[in-house]
């Protein structure tokens, strides 16, 4: 591939840019996910994707030219292969480092020993150094703890992240797959100890997985923490290709059924999505069920950026076109009705008791 300078923002791109949490860092509303890079031939990463350098360069080029300035990876993806490919791709495409927001994560096992995993100070410090080398950069824009480590005190994890920020190796820190109370505890610790703040949470959120609306979304709004959404199509389920008479058993969900989906409720959600997609077009192309799923997320106020991955250029281009899908109030109401969470305590009680005070400050 010919090396070239790529402008990361085009005047005619339709992507919006949002501040990540309560920070001055602006990221595109779509983020390129790179879990499909370098997966190998065996294991979970091979099932998700095994794109090599030339294929990854093509996807990166498409994303950057569309205005995506946000790239997410993790040390554990392909056991380091994804980070290496991302770093090399930025070099191959001649991208200025300051024109991209580079995010990676740490937690999963990167070796056989008991200390080669988790969110301990030792693992975080050593893995950050390794990620920097693989990415061929001297700083990471957003360094995220990939999940909650019950074996390490939260204080130790946060102190280690703060050290990395002070050293200049990391600029912002985030969490992923933490419960609301865990995030809130971490925020309290950072404020009490004057550590670098929690800027973002990466979490699962879809039309068939709205669980985080119960506690996490209100907490994020209260504390001004940004939301990055992973698996916005529920592992491909919201493409619609796993529902209907022509469904093939030879698909990724047949081998790796994740994230879990309530198929009974999901089939009704997809039925409504198909009705809404029918007749819509973007750039002269019919709107797909998958694009309706992405568009719904883009209409949700708590969402800062949606992580979209792909194995093929046409998949990525279709995902990017979803930013041009506009949903009417009636369409949003129909999607809300068919996908709404069942009421649970204390939610219904909070709503009932708060009715007479809800508008007091308006």
């Amino acid at each position: 591939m010919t090396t070239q300078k790529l402008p990361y923002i085009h005047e005619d791109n339709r992507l919006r840019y949002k501040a990540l949490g309560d920070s001055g860092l602006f990221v595109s509303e779509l983020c390129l996910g790179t879990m499909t890079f370098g997966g190998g031939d065996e294991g979970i990463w091979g099932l998700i994707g095994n794109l090599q350098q030339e294929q990854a360069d093509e996807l990166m080029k498409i994303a950057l030219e569309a205005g995506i300035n946000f790239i997410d990876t993790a040390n554990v993806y392909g056991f380091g292969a994804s980070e290496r490919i991302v770093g090399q791709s930025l070099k191959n495409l001649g991208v200025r480092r300051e024109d991209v927001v580079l995010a990676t994560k740490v937690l999963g096992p990167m070796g056989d020993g008991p200390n080669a995993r988790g969110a301990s100070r030792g693992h975080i410090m050593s893995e950050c150094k390794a990620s920097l080398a693989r990415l061929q950069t001297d700083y990471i824009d957003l360094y995220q703890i990939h999940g909650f480590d019950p074996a390490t005190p939260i204080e130790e994890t946060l102190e280690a992240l703060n050290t990395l920020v002070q050293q200049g190796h990391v600029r912002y820190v985030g969490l992923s797959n933490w419960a609301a109370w865990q995030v809130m505890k971490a925020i309290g610790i950072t404020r009490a100890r004057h550590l670098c703040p929690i800027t973002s949470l990466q979490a699962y959120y879809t039309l068939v997985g709205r669980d985080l609306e119960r506690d996490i979304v209100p907490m994020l709004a209260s504390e001004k923490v940004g939301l990055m959404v992973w698996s916005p199509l529920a592992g491909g389920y919201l493409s619609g290709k796993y529902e209907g008479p022509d469904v093939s058993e030879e698909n990724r969900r047949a081998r790796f059924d994740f994230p879990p989906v309530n198929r009974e409720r999901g089939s009704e959600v997809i039925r409504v999505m198909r009705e809404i997609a029918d007749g819509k077009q973007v750039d002269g192309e019919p709107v797909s069920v998958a694009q309706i799923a992405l568009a719904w997320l883009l209409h949700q106020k708590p969402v800062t950026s949606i992580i979209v991955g792909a194995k093929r250029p046409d998949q990525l281009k279709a995902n990017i076109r979803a930013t041009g899908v506009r949903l009417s109030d009636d369409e949003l109401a129909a999607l809300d009705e068919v996908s709404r969470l069942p009421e649970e305590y204390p939610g219904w009680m909070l709503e009932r008791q708060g009715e007479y005070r809800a508008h007091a400050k308006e």
Side-chain angles (χ1 to χ4, degrees):
M1 177 176 283
T2 303
T3 301
Q4 57 186 300
K5 292 290 181 183
L6 292 174
Y8 83 103
I9 293 181
H10 288 242
E11 291 183 1
D12 59 349
N13 84 67
R14 59 167 63 100
L15 269 73
R16 296 171 297 174
Y17 300 87
K18 300 180 180 180
L20 187 61
D22 193 22
S23 80
L25 179 68
F26 281 78
V27 297
S28 49
E29 62 184 341
L30 294 185
C31 171
L32 180 63
T34 62
M35 193 185 289
T36 57
F37 293 6
D41 298 322
E42 298 180 359
I44 182 177
W45 307 119
L47 288 174
I48 293 170
N50 187 22
L51 302 184
Q52 298 307 307
Q53 194 66 57
E54 187 174 352
Q55 298 163 301
D57 286 355
E58 186 175 8
L59 293 182
M60 291 275 283
K61 183 175 185 291
I62 291 168
L64 291 163
E65 288 185 335
I68 293 175
N69 75 337
F70 200 11
I71 301 165
D72 181 71
T73 185
N75 63 345
V76 78
Y77 296 166
F79 299 104
S82 176
E83 288 184 327
R84 281 193 293 271
I85 290 171
V86 167
Q88 188 58 47
S89 188
L90 293 175
K91 299 292 184 183
N92 292 347
L93 295 172
V95 179
R96 294 188 307 170
R97 178 64 184 87
E98 60 268 29
D99 286 345
V100 293
V101 177
L102 204 50
T104 191
K105 301 183 284 292
V106 60
L107 181 82
M110 293 298 288
D112 295 329
N115 293 314
R117 62 201 66 207
S120 68
R121 182 177 183 86
H123 188 59
I124 288 171
M125 302 300 284
S126 61
E127 282 305 310
C128 181
K129 182 178 180 181
S131 289
L132 288 167
R134 287 189 289 260
L135 291 166
Q136 301 183 55
T137 184
D138 57 2
Y139 69 94
I140 294 164
D141 292 286
L142 178 66
Y143 200 42
Q144 305 155 96
I145 304 300
H146 209 161
F148 187 74
D149 179 5
T152 301
I154 295 177
E155 292 84 351
E156 179 179 337
T157 299
L158 297 174
E159 290 280 2
L161 292 173
N162 192 68
T163 298
L164 291 172
V165 171
Q166 290 179 329
Q167 292 175 343
H169 300 315
V170 168
R171 295 191 169 176
Y172 298 90
V173 302
L175 307 171
S176 179
N177 302 316
W178 283 38
W181 72 265
Q182 293 166 340
V183 177
M184 196 63 241
K185 183 174 181 179
I187 290 172
I189 293 168
T190 60
R191 290 173 180 168
R193 298 193 178 196
H194 304 289
L195 306 177
C196 58
I198 305 300
T199 303
S200 63
L201 177 71
Q202 190 173 143
Y204 171 62
Y205 187 29
T206 70
L207 272 164
V208 289
R210 295 174 59 180
D211 308 73
L212 84 171
E213 291 178 2
R214 297 197 189 282
D215 294 309
I216 291 176
V217 163
M219 178 273 299
L220 296 178
S222 170
E223 305 308 316
K224 299 181 180 179
V225 175
L227 175 61
M228 299 167 62
V229 175
W230 62 261
S231 198
L233 299 182
Y237 179 81
L238 286 175
S239 68
K241 62 186 177 182
Y242 302 134
E243 291 289 340
D246 301 323
V247 173
S248 169
E249 292 302 316
E250 292 299 319
N251 56 57
R252 199 196 93 177
R253 273 200 164 265
R255 295 171 292 163
F256 183 52
D257 193 14
F258 182 85
V261 171
N262 182 323
R263 301 292 283 266
E264 185 177 345
R265 294 185 66 213
S267 62
E268 278 299 294
V269 172
I270 289 174
R271 179 186 63 79
V272 174
M273 292 168 70
R274 284 191 173 123
E275 291 175 357
I276 292 173
D278 187 35
K280 284 186 183 289
Q281 287 192 341
V282 172
D283 298 338
E285 297 284 341
V287 169
S288 67
V289 171
Q291 288 169 330
I292 296 296
L294 294 173
W296 179 82
L297 282 169
L298 290 169
H299 281 72
Q300 303 309 302
K301 186 176 179 180
V303 175
T304 306
S305 188
I306 303 169
I307 302 171
V308 293
K311 292 183 180 180
R312 305 188 312 271
D314 62 295
Q315 287 178 324
L316 181 56
K317 290 176 181 178
N319 288 340
I320 293 169
R321 282 200 302 275
T323 60
V325 177
R326 295 293 175 261
L327 300 175
S328 68
D329 290 344
D330 287 345
E331 289 168 338
L332 288 168
L335 290 169
D336 179 66
E337 179 66 28
V338 75
S339 65
R340 187 180 300 158
L341 293 170
E343 289 189 340
E344 285 188 358
Y345 180 84
W348 52 260
M349 193 62 177
L350 291 171
E351 183 177 356
R352 181 182 179 88
Q353 291 185 318
E355 284 177 352
Y356 70 100
R357 296 284 284 175
H359 305 293
K361 290 187 176 183
E362 291 183 0

